[in-house]
Amino acid sequence: MSIDVLLGLQWGDEGKGKIVDYLAPKYDVVARFQGGPNAGHTLEFDGIKHVLHQIPSGVFRPQIKNIIGNGVVLDPVIFKKEILGLGQYNLEIKKNLFISKKAQLILPTHQLLDEAYEEAKGDKKIGSTKKGIGPTYQDKIARLGLRVGDILSADFKDKYNELLKAHIAILKFYNYPCDLETKERDFFEAIDFLKKFNLVDSEYMINDAINSDATVLAEGAQGSLLDVDFGSYPFVTSSSTMAAGACTGLGVAPKNIGEVFGIFKAYCTRVGSGPFPTELFDEAGSMMQKEGNEFGATTGRPRRCGWLDLPALKYTIMINGVTQLFMMKVDVLSIFKEIKVCTHYELKDGTCIDRFPCEITNGKFKPVFKTFRGWHTSLENVYDFDALPAALLDYISFLEKALKTPVNIVSVGPDRTQTIIRNGVLGERGEVWGVI
Ligand code: GDP
Ligand code: IMO
Ligand code: MG
């Protein structure tokens, strides 16, 4: 059977964790394929909120195998902390979690380098989460990195020291303080902890699943507008956040990709620096931020807010081959009497485009908005797609036509139960997905 991919279509934080957790019972395997602890995926059920950084969002569902794929960068210290934090929930993590031996390790010095590079950029900062993501992927591409499988070899410490030497030289160049004593102690304790887990060639696990009747859901991190190739470069992350990233990040052939679930907020947010054509600097923006509780799940930073951007969405749907859309945080827009959507960008010479060009970084694209009547009513007790307010159904219908893709899930709150699935939508096994 093919594997389905779920990924963010904006600048991250679209609600991927919530939906992966919601859909997980329909799958046998959930696999992360890129990114690392820069991700913060929030899940909420039974009155408890969980934020996962390294561990796939299928972890709370029993029987599901969770894989940290080869495309991921893993910080053993954050991993250990996250696992210990989950200890109270009686999960069979040791049995159900598998980590690719080919995943790259984030070293304490990668994290320091991330800080040093950001500091050196001055007002051109990317707004990195400073978790060491960029420097670790840099070492991977430079063929210098250490991988999870290396921790099993007798000369791991030598390999570590060799890379450490190179990192220290760069930190010296940047004149960046490098006090490693505690960090290294924690790192090596976490490495011993990591050794007790299932360290595997996960590409075989995934392809064995594909060749049997098992189902796999690939969980993206970040979002397509943060993709290293297609995002708003250089204000991006350092991995391939797209559907294609699931192929390289898990070892899956393109022909084995099935559904591509594109998840987007009913508006836009961005944390960190970089262009954001529909960003709001007025009362509407602060209302969105407050109502949507738009503060980063990893760093706690306030998220910038703005109206939905259709040229950007069309672009990310195109580059990912999205087959179904999931629309999140619709409840947040219930506070507005009128809702705006950017349909085009206007250029300096007055021409309008509905494409997301490379030069978007120059900030010379003025958004052109279409205004919709808001539904302006609480969605709290709505559980059925057809029972959504007429103004919201009109709005969804407009989006589906403009984006040429069906909206099959509408999320109306952070809790697992606040998820409305469209009647009659078919899952991978041909069954109808109802409310779980
Ligand atoms: P992710 O990184 O894509 O998993 O998203 P985050 O967890 O970083 O951010 C999404 C935030 O929105 C979290 O705080 C979720 O609990 C919350 N959330 C998800 N879906 C909804 C929704 O439909 N409505 C509201 N109000 N909050 C939601
Ligand atoms: P999830 O998976 C939102 C942003 C950072 C910064 C840029 C580069 O929770 O959606 P990095 O630490 O990767 O070098 O930062 O990317 N960023 C995210 N923004 N959600 C995320 O992940 C993000 N991961 C990175 O804020 O602008
Ligand atoms: Mg997040």
Side-chain angles (χ1 to χ4, degrees):
M1 220 169 246
S2 53
I3 86 161
D4 295 339
V5 183
L6 181 141
L7 44 81
L9 294 177
Q10 296 160 321
W11 282 287
D13 301 331
E14 296 89 350
K16 299 175 291 293
K18 172 187 161 159
I19 295 296
V20 170
D21 166 66
Y22 174 80
L23 294 178
K26 302 289 174 198
Y27 291 89
D28 299 297
V29 179
V30 171
R32 277 275 307 268
F33 57 90
Q34 45 68 234
N38 49 350
H41 293 181
T42 314
L43 291 67
E44 221 174 296
F45 53 89
D46 300 338
I48 306 176
K49 180 171 156 171
H50 306 272
V51 182
L52 298 172
H53 301 285
Q54 293 269 195
I55 297 172
S57 301
V59 70
F60 288 101
R61 303 291 200 169
Q63 267 94 49
I64 289 175
K65 291 189 169 72
N66 288 276
I67 295 179
I68 297 177
N70 58 279
V72 170
V73 289
L74 185 84
D75 182 326
V77 178
I78 294 176
F79 172 79
K80 180 179 169 190
K81 196 168 157 215
E82 210 167 317
I83 295 280
L84 295 179
L86 291 170
Q88 55 185 305
Y89 299 109
N90 216 8
L91 308 169
E92 292 193 276
I93 302 191
K94 280 247 167 77
K95 190 172 133 229
N96 290 335
L97 182 64
F98 300 83
I99 304 162
S100 168
K101 287 191 205 166
K102 298 187 179 70
Q104 295 278 326
L105 283 175
I106 302 179
L107 272 44
T109 38
H110 281 131
Q111 199 237 319
L112 292 176
L113 285 168
D114 212 357
E115 288 174 8
Y117 292 147
E118 274 288 81
E119 194 165 286
K121 285 196 173 95
D123 61 1
K124 294 194 183 70
K125 274 196 194 59
I126 286 164
S128 158
T129 58
K130 298 182 187 158
K131 301 288 178 196
I133 308 297
T136 307
Y137 278 117
Q138 229 174 304
D139 277 347
K140 172 181 178 174
I141 301 301
R143 299 160 296 182
L144 296 169
L146 296 183
R147 309 198 291 183
V148 167
D150 290 325
I151 69 174
L152 303 174
S153 70
D155 62 349
F156 175 64
K157 196 78 196 268
D158 297 336
K159 287 179 178 163
Y160 171 87
N161 282 330
E162 204 174 310
L163 190 52
L164 180 72
K165 237 195 294 169
H167 287 172
I168 287 177
I170 307 172
L171 288 165
K172 266 205 185 112
F173 173 82
Y174 281 94
N175 215 0
Y176 199 79
C178 179
D179 185 1
L180 283 171
E181 204 181 312
T182 325
K183 287 182 195 296
E184 283 194 326
R185 194 197 59 216
D186 292 349
F187 177 76
F188 283 104
E189 279 175 12
I191 290 289
D192 286 339
F193 182 83
L194 181 59
K195 278 183 190 162
K196 297 184 192 123
F197 283 78
N198 302 303
L199 310 182
V200 297
D201 289 320
S202 58
E203 58 276 29
Y204 278 107
M205 276 185 76
I206 305 247
N207 282 284
D208 286 347
I210 290 171
N211 294 327
S212 67
D213 67 348
T215 49
V216 182
L217 178 64
E219 173 181 5
Q222 289 77 55
S224 299
L225 298 176
L226 288 171
D227 181 80
V228 69
D229 283 281
F230 298 101
S232 44
Y233 193 88
F235 300 99
V236 294
T237 191
S238 300
S239 65
S240 175
T241 60
M242 314 196 318
C247 293
T248 54
L250 294 174
V252 173
K255 68 171 183 181
N256 288 325
I257 300 291
E259 296 291 319
V260 179
F261 304 129
I263 177 162
F264 70 103
K265 275 181 194 167
Y267 49 99
C268 279
T269 63
R270 172 162 208 169
V271 58
S273 335
F276 181 174
T278 63
E279 183 168 11
L280 288 165
F281 300 95
D282 59 4
E283 177 66 14
S286 349
M287 284 167 72
M288 242 177 230
Q289 190 185 64
K290 190 158 169 257
E291 188 67 15
N293 193 22
E294 294 298 354
F295 295 90
T298 298
T299 57
R301 291 176 292 174
R303 297 180 185 137
R304 301 152 63 192
C305 294
W307 295 114
L308 194 62
D309 183 335
L310 291 192
L313 263 189
K314 285 180 185 172
Y315 179 65
T316 53
I317 289 170
M318 175 185 79
I319 58 179
N320 287 298
V322 171
T323 57
Q324 303 189 36
L325 290 167
F326 299 164
M327 185 173 170
M328 308 300 289
K329 302 194 88 159
V330 174
D331 54 305
V332 174
L333 294 190
S334 301
I335 56 171
F336 293 105
K337 286 197 179 130
E338 285 187 336
I339 285 162
K340 291 188 181 178
V341 179
C342 165
T343 55
H344 293 84
Y345 305 133
E346 189 182 314
L347 308 184
K348 288 247 161 62
D349 65 3
T351 51
C352 280
I353 56 164
D354 71 345
R355 295 194 161 201
F356 190 80
C358 183
E359 300 76 20
I360 201 82
T361 44
N362 294 352
K364 49 187 182 192
F365 296 84
K366 195 173 135 213
V368 179
F369 291 108
K370 183 174 164 72
T371 304
F372 286 81
R373 179 169 60 98
W375 43 97
H376 208 47
T377 174
S378 166
L379 302 174
E380 215 161 300
N381 296 313
V382 186
Y383 301 100
D384 197 6
F385 193 90
D386 298 324
L388 290 169
L392 173 53
L393 287 173
D394 286 350
Y395 178 62
I396 292 173
S397 171
F398 167 81
L399 294 179
E400 288 183 318
K401 277 198 198 100
L403 301 170
K404 299 191 178 80
T405 317
V407 174
N408 284 342
I409 287 181
V410 174
S411 174
V412 294
D415 194 83
R416 218 185 235 175
T417 56
Q418 295 170 302
T419 314
I420 299 174
I421 198 149
R422 194 167 210 157
N423 298 335
V425 169
L426 293 180
E428 169 84 353
R429 284 172 168 153
E431 82 254 88
V432 176
W433 288 351
V435 174
I436 294 163

